Amino acid sequence: MGLSEALVADLDWWHRRIEGETDHVDHNGPFPSPVNPLEAGRRLAKRLSDEVGEGFKIELWYDGLRDTFEADHPAWEPSAAAFFTARVEDL
């Protein structure tokens, strides 16, 4: 997908954390303990927005709440922007 390896690893950790697959006591991933899943999700959504850059809207849905993130700058990871642009064009 062109995202940085660090972001992919952190997104994987967050997904496993909210699904209850990761013990947050043993592994806090990229966030200080104790981790608030919503705050962690917001930080990750912001990082994703930065990596794909302007022109993309990132939505975070968690526990009935919705946040939207949009970068106001070019992609930090141009290959990620290209990947997601191609996916949109395929629709």
Side-chain angles (χ1 to χ4, degrees):
M1 291 185 285
L3 298 171
S4 69
E5 288 183 28
L7 179 56
V8 171
D10 292 349
L11 287 168
D12 178 61
W13 172 86
W14 185 75
H15 176 74
R16 289 184 292 115
R17 171 67 168 74
I18 64 171
E19 293 296 320
E21 299 172 15
T22 297
D23 180 355
H24 65 280
V25 173
D26 291 338
H27 177 68
N28 293 310
F31 306 102
S33 180
V35 65
N36 174 317
L38 178 57
E39 183 57 32
R42 285 178 174 146
R43 290 183 202 172
L44 290 168
K46 171 71 171 97
R47 286 174 56 196
L48 176 58
S49 176
D50 287 337
E51 288 202 8
V52 298
E54 59 196 355
F56 292 94
K57 184 182 292 187
I58 307 302
E59 292 185 348
L60 170 68
W61 293 80
Y62 181 80
D63 201 24
L65 301 173
R66 176 181 166 261
D67 281 333
T68 303
F69 301 83
E70 295 181 71
D72 61 356
H73 54 77
W76 289 355
E77 295 289 342
S79 58
F83 175 86
F84 289 105
T85 298
R87 299 287 85 66
V88 170
E89 292 171 355
D90 288 345
L91 296 177

